[in-house]
Amino acid sequence: MKRKLIKGGYVVSMDARVGAGELDLLIEDDRIAAVAHNLEAEDAELIDAHGQIVLPGFVNAHMHTWQTALRSLVANWTLPQYFRSVHAGLATLFTPEDLYIGTLVGALNQLDCGTTTLGDWCHNNPTPAHTDRAIDGLVESGIRGVFLHGSPKPDPKPGQKHFSEIPHPRSEIERLLKHRFTSRDELVTLGMAILGPHYSTYEVSHHDLLLARECGLIASMHCAGLDAKTPDGWERLNAAGLLDAHTNVVHGNNLSDTQLQMMLDCGVTFSLAPETEMLQGHGHPITGRLRDAGYAPSLGVDLESAIAGDMMTVARMALASQRALDNAAAREREARLPATSTLTCNDALGWITIHGARALGLADRVGSLTPGKQADIVTLRADTLGMRPLHDAIAAVIMQAGRANVDTVLVAGAFRKRHGELVYDALARRLDELDVSGRRIAAGLDDLLAAY
Ligand SMILES: [Zn+2]
């Protein structure tokens, strides 16, 4: 049995029974064996964590990793511009190799930033070859992931149906389960990235949720942005008994309080992308509305084509945006600020760890440093220019830390980053390939826009 001992760090376990403090952490093979004071294990490989904060690896619950080669192209586009230029435009130029390199480098970047679990919402799968290469990239990165298989959204050619009328391809899900995802114990597992009632007809939503349930898969869907295709779809799906803890809704800004409560009562999980929601025009993130209903969100980067990929920034954005709303509401209502902050850094760390794991159906394996769970662990250097003195480890992670603090990343007990360096040999070559891919795709933009 191979053992590793993380010694001398400040552990934030995100498990109330384990707690936080100057604890050591013993790893046996791919699992956390023990978290306790002064652990000794002479045969174990020592990971010296003095001056570091030891945390569960972050969970990025929602990202379109295939768009990595489009970095910053989308930064100044509104939602309608994004839909037109990316989904009906640039997405159509992607080859299977573009899917591979974008997904691989995007996932490596997640590991570098301390993310160990990625909800990879891949909705540019025009052919099985595209899908297979995207999965190849995700697997090669070494990250834990749920590959959420989705369909592309091109403009229909004459005689073709609009994407909102096309059911999720059953044959492709069956092929993937038979040939690519044969065990739930693999690091990368399958989920479905479906259109849902916001982006499809009721019949398509019903079909897709039923298919996901039949296959035992998470069904994730966007809800927000432009007008809903099927405004009463959520009520109808609820009446059909199709909403449950395997249903994951992304954004949700446009839902009424009644709809939100109905969905939460069914166990539906929510993944918010506070930064892209504020930038692109979805509306205010619903972090506080979920809190008022007794629930916590998971969070995602959403688009590296628009913003940076690290989850510490995403958590900080979610916290700041909701405190701003709460503070403004209190001033409006009572002409004064709330007596205490309405959400804390502890809440925010939960959104990018345990609640992310829950949204992806992986809370039994990751999301906290609980003995028995998978050894998905990140250590952050706290003995640095930007972090000393360390008064409050959790607040420091959410408010001060960034990629540069990420020292060590383990997925299933294996090193993915060590002493601040990514463990991946061919990175320079892969970045060159990403450049070539991105430049070729971006060069097509003028032609596409001229055609509108
Ligand atoms: Zn999205």
Side-chain angles (χ1 to χ4, degrees), residues 66-368:
W66 63 271
Q67 293 185 18
T68 306
L70 307 182
R71 276 176 177 160
S72 73
L73 271 183
V74 173
N76 292 317
W77 291 348
T78 64
L79 262 184
Q81 287 177 300
Y82 166 73
F83 286 133
R84 192 186 62 173
S85 303
V86 176
H87 284 294
L90 296 176
T92 64
L93 305 178
F94 275 65
T95 65
E97 291 313 299
D98 294 320
L99 266 288
Y100 163 75
I101 196 65
T103 304
L104 170 62
V105 175
L108 288 172
N109 185 53
Q110 287 301 301
L111 288 165
D112 197 50
C113 294
T115 298
T116 51
T117 299
L118 174 61
D120 178 19
W121 224 96
C122 186
H123 54 343
N124 193 11
N125 292 293
T127 71
H130 286 78
T131 307
D132 281 337
R133 289 303 277 156
I135 296 167
D136 289 344
L138 192 61
V139 170
E140 185 178 324
S141 75
I143 204 165
R144 188 183 301 280
V146 179
F147 179 80
L148 295 148
H149 174 273
S151 300
K153 298 180 176 65
D155 285 338
K157 296 194 174 72
Q160 284 182 343
K161 279 185 176 173
H162 188 259
F163 69 77
S164 62
E165 299 169 12
I166 302 174
H168 208 95
R170 167 182 286 271
S171 60
E172 187 61 358
I173 293 299
E174 288 177 347
R175 180 185 77 84
L176 292 169
L177 283 172
K178 192 169 177 199
H179 297 290
R180 296 299 306 247
F181 300 101
T182 51
S183 164
R184 192 175 172 253
D185 292 330
E186 299 288 328
L187 275 186
V188 178
T189 52
L190 183 65
M192 284 172 58
I194 66 173
L195 294 162
H198 197 86
Y199 285 102
S200 70
T201 63
Y202 179 72
E203 290 68 29
V204 166
S205 301
H206 187 281
H207 166 275
D208 294 353
L209 275 164
L210 208 54
L211 176 59
R213 176 173 290 182
E214 182 188 323
C215 298
L217 301 175
I218 295 275
S220 179
M221 66 215 79
H222 291 106
C223 176
L226 311 180
D227 291 342
K229 181 83 182 173
T230 311
D232 62 349
W234 296 110
E235 288 77 6
R236 294 169 70 185
L237 291 169
N238 181 46
L242 283 172
L243 303 181
D244 61 21
H246 289 82
T247 312
N248 172 251
V249 172
V250 182
H251 308 312
N253 319 62
N254 62 317
L255 295 168
S256 70
D257 286 345
T258 310
Q259 286 175 312
L260 213 51
Q261 195 62 57
M262 173 193 81
M263 293 159 78
L264 291 169
D265 288 345
C266 297
V268 172
T269 65
F270 285 82
S271 298
L272 315 185
E275 202 171 357
T276 58
E277 289 169 23
M278 290 189 289
L279 289 167
Q280 290 193 309
H282 300 71
H284 287 297
I286 62 169
T287 321
R289 296 177 59 205
L290 292 173
R291 170 203 57 203
D292 295 344
Y295 182 80
S298 57
L299 302 180
V301 167
D302 198 5
L303 298 173
E304 266 218 81
S305 52
I307 63 167
D310 85 88
M311 289 303 294
M312 292 161 278
T313 303
V314 171
R316 191 153 67 239
M317 284 281 173
L319 187 63
S321 65
Q322 190 57 49
R323 281 201 201 163
L325 287 170
D326 292 339
N327 292 339
R331 283 179 188 274
E332 181 78 29
R333 202 174 48 238
E334 301 164 38
R336 62 187 173 95
L337 285 172
T340 57
S341 287
T342 53
L343 286 164
T344 67
C345 294
N346 201 18
D347 295 322
L349 188 56
W351 304 334
I352 61 171
T353 54
I354 189 64
H355 295 297
R358 201 160 55 84
L360 294 174
L362 296 171
D364 59 333
R365 317 191 150 207
V366 296
S368 63

